[in-house]
Amino acid sequence: MKRMTTLTAVVLGGCVNVSAPTKPIEINLNINVTQEVVYRLDGEAKSLIQQNPGIF
């Protein structure tokens, strides 16, 4: 009986097809990078820069 069940499973099992896609795989990475720079100068440095604008 066990042999008959195995034979039936093999005959009725079907087959599996694995194939590559016809179109290339496309991966969209929508990345938005935003940078914000915040700076503070102390009063002495700020007045020094204003007095000597060519320093930088």
Side-chain angles (χ1 to χ4, degrees):
M1 182 71 172
K2 186 175 182 179
R3 185 174 182 183
M4 183 66 152
T5 308
T6 306
L7 182 61
T8 305
V10 170
V11 171
L12 298 177
C15 64
V16 177
N17 287 331
V18 178
S19 61
T22 56
K23 294 182 178 180
I25 298 171
E26 182 178 332
I27 300 173
N28 259 336
L29 298 175
N30 293 323
I31 300 173
N32 185 7
V33 178
T34 304
Q35 182 178 3
E36 183 177 328
V37 178
V38 178
Y39 66 93
R40 294 188 185 122
L41 294 174
D42 78 348
E44 189 175 322
K46 189 174 183 177
S47 65
L48 181 65
I49 292 171
Q50 286 175 346
Q51 291 171 3
N52 302 306
I55 198 169
F56 288 107

